Amino acid sequence: MELAFIPSPSRGVLHLGPVPLRGYAFCIIIGVFVAVWLGNRRWIARGGRPGTVADIAVWAVPFGLIGGRLYHVITDYQLYFSEGRDWVDAFKIWEGGLGIWGAIAFGAVGAWIGARRRGVPMPAYADAVAPGIALAQAIGRWGNWFNQELYGKATDLPWAVEITSTADGRLPGTYHPTFLYESLWCIGVALLVIWADRRFELGHGRAFALYVAAYCAGRFWIEYMRVDDAHHILGLRLNNWTALLVFLLAVLYIVLSARKRPGREAVVEPGAETAAGDAPAAGAAGAAEETDAKEDAGTPSADAGTDEADDADDADDADTAGETASPDLTKATGTTEDTHHPADPESAEDAEAVKDGADSAKKG
C-alpha cells in the first residue's frame, strides 16, 4: 500500500472557450523564456549587448523544436507509421514527443545562423546560454508529468508518481518519476556550469561542452530506469548509446579546446564596448551643455549687477571729485564764504587814505 505518491493531473489540457491550454506547451514556453532571460544576463556580463540573445533565439528555438520533433518521430516511427496509426499525429507536437538530441543539434544550427547575422562568435554565445538551456529542460520535463509519460519502473517509494491513464498501453500504478529525476538533475547541471564558469573562466564553447557532458551523465542512468518502448542495441536503449557517445565528444572537446585556445574570449560582440562607452560620453556632453546653458542664463543678471555696481562707483567718484573741485574753484574766483561778511572798518579807512594821497599827487 502506497503511503504517499505524486498525483498526476487528471488531464493535461484546459479549454478556455475554444482555445486549448496545454500544460506541456506551457512548460516548453516558460522554459524558453527562462533560458533567454538567464542567457541575456550572462551575455551582458561577458560584454555583449542586451537583446542579442533574444535575437538569436528567434532562430534557435524554431529550429530546436523542429529538430526535437524529427528525432522523436524518426526514433519512434512505429508510433506514427505502423498499422493502425495515423501519420498526421507526427505533427501534433503539443501531445508530447521532443528528442533533446535533435533539439540541441538543430537548435545549434539555428543559433549559428542567428550568430552569423549578428556577427558574434557561436562558441561564446553557446557558453552564455548553456545554463539557461539546462533550466529550460528542467522546466520542460514537467510537461511529461501533465501528459503522464516517460516514467520509470514500478515502485512504492513516497515520491513515486501515480499513473492513472490507460492510453497507449499504460498500466495504472505508481512508478519512478523519471521526469522529476531529470528535472532535478538539470537544475544541478545549470548550477555546476555557472560555478565552473566563474571559477575557471570557461570560454570558447567549454561551458556549453560541460553542460552537454554533465547532462549526458545524468541522462544515461535516468534513461536506464525508463520502461517506455524504445529501440535497443546490445541490451541498451538507443538513448543510452547516444548519451554515451555525446558525453565522450563533449569531454574530448573540453580537453582539446583548453589546449588550443585557453582562457576566455576578450570580445564576444564587436562594437558592444564602443556602444557602451558612447552612452556615458553622450551623458557627459549633455550635462556640460546643460551647465553652459545655466551659466548663459545667469550672465545677464550678473552683468546687470556689475553695471549697477559700476554706476554706483562712478557716482561716488563724481561726488568725491565735486567736493575736491569746489575749493579749487573758489580759489580761482577769489571768493570764499568769508567774502559775504561785512568789511573791517580799519581797512576801509586805510583804503580811503591811500585814495586821497593818490588824488593829491595827481593835482600836484
Side-chain angles (χ1 to χ4, degrees):
M1 178 179 179
E2 298 85 5
L3 299 179
F5 55 82
I6 301 173
S8 290
S10 58
R11 55 182 177 174
V13 58
L14 297 175
H15 290 274
L16 186 62
V19 180
L21 305 177
R22 303 183 183 277
Y24 186 88
F26 269 114
C27 291
I28 297 297
I29 293 172
I30 294 173
V32 169
F33 274 102
V34 170
V36 172
W37 169 78
L38 180 58
N40 184 65
R41 289 175 59 89
R42 287 172 52 81
W43 183 253
I44 294 173
R46 289 196 171 204
R49 293 178 178 176
T52 296
V53 170
D55 290 343
I56 298 177
V58 171
W59 289 87
V61 173
F63 272 74
L65 291 175
I66 294 173
R69 188 61 175 177
L70 282 176
Y71 182 90
H72 168 72
V73 172
I74 292 174
T75 56
D76 291 309
Y77 62 88
Q78 71 279 359
L79 299 176
Y80 307 100
F81 302 105
S82 60
E83 185 177 356
R85 299 284 184 170
D86 187 357
W87 62 271
V88 176
D89 292 341
F91 297 95
K92 297 178 180 180
I93 191 173
W94 56 86
E95 293 183 354
L98 289 175
I100 185 61
W101 315 112
I104 294 297
F106 274 63
V109 173
W112 177 78
I113 295 174
R116 282 183 60 87
R117 291 172 62 89
R118 289 299 297 258
V120 302
M122 177 62 185
Y125 177 82
D127 286 339
V129 299
I133 294 176
L135 290 180
Q137 288 179 251
I139 297 171
R141 274 304 175 197
W142 284 90
N144 302 132
W145 176 63
F146 281 100
N147 288 347
Q148 296 196 34
E149 60 186 3
L150 303 187
Y151 45 86
K153 298 178 175 67
T155 183
D156 58 357
L157 291 172
W159 57 84
V161 61
E162 181 188 32
I163 300 299
T164 59
S165 173
T166 58
D168 296 326
R170 295 184 180 94
L171 296 176
T174 56
Y175 300 86
H176 277 285
T178 53
F179 74 89
L180 176 60
Y181 299 159
E182 186 167 337
S183 179
L184 295 176
W185 183 268
C186 287
I187 293 174
V189 170
L191 296 176
L192 171 65
V193 174
I194 292 173
W195 171 81
D197 193 27
R198 291 178 179 176
R199 174 67 176 80
F200 303 105
E201 293 189 351
L202 302 176
H204 302 285
R206 287 188 288 277
F208 183 81
L210 176 61
Y211 144 71
V212 173
Y215 171 75
C216 290
R219 179 61 185 267
F220 186 88
W221 66 266
I222 294 172
E223 183 73 19
Y224 190 78
M225 297 178 65
R226 285 168 52 171
V227 295
D228 54 302
D229 293 335
H231 298 286
H232 288 73
I233 301 175
L234 299 178
L236 290 178
R237 295 164 64 96
L238 175 61
N239 284 332
N240 283 116
W241 288 107
T242 305
L244 180 60
L245 176 61
V246 176
F247 171 82
L248 294 175
L249 292 176
V251 172
L252 181 63
Y253 178 87
I254 293 174
V255 174
L256 296 180
S257 176
R259 292 179 179 178
K260 185 178 180 181
R261 307 181 70 180
R264 179 184 288 178
E265 299 90 342
V267 178
V268 297
E269 187 168 3
E273 295 180 354
T274 303
D278 290 344
E289 291 178 359
E290 184 178 355
T291 302
D292 293 341
K294 291 180 179 179
E295 291 178 354
D296 293 341
T299 299
S301 300
D303 292 343
T306 303
D307 292 341
E308 292 177 358
D310 291 343
D311 292 343
D313 292 341
D314 292 343
D316 293 339
D317 293 342
D319 293 342
T320 303
E323 294 175 357
T324 306
S326 296
D328 294 340
L329 181 60
T330 303
K331 291 178 181 179
T333 58
T335 60
T336 64
E337 293 180 357
D338 292 339
T339 59
H340 298 287
H341 294 170
D344 189 0
E346 294 182 355
S347 298
E349 292 178 357
D350 292 341
E352 191 66 28
V354 172
K355 183 179 180 182
D356 291 340
D359 291 339
S360 298
K362 287 181 180 180
K363 291 177 179 181

